[in-house]
Amino acid sequence: MVAAGRTLTTVRVGSRIGKFRVERRLGAGGFSEVFAARDTILGTQVALKIPNAALLTPQVMNEFCREARMTVRLDHPNILPLKDATQIDNRLVIVSPLGQKTLHDRMQSRIGFATAFEMIAQLLAGVAYAHTNRIIHCDIKPENIILFEGNRVRLADFGIAKVAQKTVRGAGTGTIGYMAPEQAMGKPSARSDVFSIGLIAYRMFAGEWPEWPFAWPPPGIARLRRKAHPELIEIIRRSIAPIARRRYADAGQMLTAWNRVRTKALKFRRK
């Protein structure tokens, strides 16, 4: 584990990594740092994720390559594409499009009900597509949801998140606080992704995070009831049921229910 605040790499703002010029540091975790950079040949801006070299054992590299090959074929407007993964100057460099901010950053200020509703719909659409391809994310959280112009939502780190969490924690995958109970026991499924999306939806509408043991109703329920149609509340309640079999089977099933209640939910909020 890397100590809090410790720099993972020797990358400096203004330096060059191959054809990329590093412009600013976007953030860091226990596995990697992320930078905004410019492709000096194409003139485009990109995001560079650079894992801590000390964590990249041969086993981790093999697992990363396997996950990358599996997830690079995901082609959906609500999934952040992996543009490239290469070794430059003895560093693994993962290249993806550069968004405006993360959902975590956006949630620090008010988000209108209709905008929040559509963001969750986009997130569900991307995850539903992945689930139809038999791929689960295992670490859906606001920090992994990237916003682009026009409130376009794109979920990042398919595969990479799984490798990172296994490497740093040495056990099950996921981030505490967003993780379904069965996932914490090392048994993730598509229902676990549904649970994480449900937690995010609850937070966006009610302003508070449900916490273990996820008993209903969670804190903030009065605010949720003022804002949301009862049928929308029922969708959220089902998505964060502690017992996995009581949730939606996958994101596609939840997306169908979400889209079905759209008109009622938006009309209820306007009233």
Side-chain angles (χ1 to χ4, degrees):
M1 183 67 71
V2 178
R6 180 178 171 185
T7 302
L8 299 176
T9 71
T10 57
V11 175
R12 297 190 306 274
V13 173
S15 64
R16 288 277 292 268
I17 301 177
K19 66 174 182 175
F20 302 106
R21 182 176 298 281
V22 177
E23 295 186 334
R24 67 184 188 278
R25 185 172 180 267
L26 298 177
F31 182 72
S32 62
E33 287 182 297
V34 183
F35 298 90
R38 180 169 294 277
D39 184 322
T40 58
I41 294 178
L42 299 179
T44 57
Q45 286 193 309
V46 297
L48 303 181
K49 181 183 285 285
I50 304 177
N52 180 4
L55 298 176
L56 295 178
T57 64
Q59 180 181 355
V60 171
M61 280 298 297
N62 288 338
E63 187 167 1
F64 169 77
C65 291
R66 177 168 53 82
E67 291 286 346
R69 293 188 191 106
M70 181 174 64
T71 59
V72 73
R73 60 188 170 88
L74 293 177
D75 183 13
H76 190 275
N78 300 121
I79 293 177
L80 189 72
L82 179 66
K83 295 183 68 173
D84 195 14
T86 187
Q87 287 210 336
I88 304 174
D89 301 331
N90 295 319
R91 297 186 182 96
L92 176 62
V93 180
I94 303 161
V95 187
S96 60
L98 180 66
Q100 295 178 329
K101 61 180 66 179
T102 66
L103 180 60
H104 171 78
D105 294 333
R106 179 65 183 85
M107 287 168 68
Q108 305 311 305
S109 56
R110 181 183 176 278
I111 302 176
F113 182 91
T115 298
F117 188 96
E118 295 305 329
M119 284 180 172
I120 295 297
Q122 291 182 59
L123 177 59
L124 283 167
V127 179
Y129 170 80
H131 286 175
T132 61
N133 284 274
R134 299 184 178 181
I135 295 174
I136 58 176
H137 189 281
C138 291
D139 197 25
I140 299 176
K141 58 184 179 180
E143 291 86 347
N144 283 337
I145 299 168
I146 313 301
L147 303 184
F148 287 76
E149 186 176 359
N151 288 319
R152 165 70 64 83
V153 167
R154 306 188 89 169
L155 181 60
D157 280 1
F158 271 94
I160 298 172
K162 188 184 298 182
V163 174
Q165 293 299 332
K166 283 184 178 179
T167 302
V168 174
R169 299 184 186 282
T173 62
T175 298
I176 300 298
Y178 308 92
M179 195 190 309
E182 74 282 356
Q183 188 174 338
M185 301 298 291
K187 299 178 180 179
S189 70
R191 295 177 192 266
S192 308
D193 281 351
V194 165
F195 183 89
S196 298
I197 296 170
L199 288 183
I200 293 170
Y202 191 94
R203 168 64 178 81
M204 292 180 77
F205 293 131
E208 296 193 46
W209 286 110
E211 296 180 352
W212 176 264
F214 306 111
W216 191 269
I221 189 65
R223 181 177 179 185
L224 180 65
R225 286 171 175 160
R226 287 195 300 269
K227 296 175 66 173
H229 189 280
E231 290 184 25
L232 178 60
I233 295 174
E234 174 57 24
I235 293 172
I236 296 172
R237 186 203 63 76
R238 181 177 172 184
S239 70
I240 61 174
I243 299 175
R245 68 176 180 273
R246 294 181 180 173
R247 295 179 219 137
Y248 296 98
D250 54 32
Q253 195 178 92
M254 185 175 174
L255 176 62
T256 297
W258 197 266
N259 286 335
R260 189 182 297 127
V261 79
R262 171 181 276 104
T263 300
K264 291 180 181 178
L266 297 179
K267 186 180 294 185
F268 181 91
R269 181 55 182 161
R270 285 195 296 269
K271 288 182 178 180

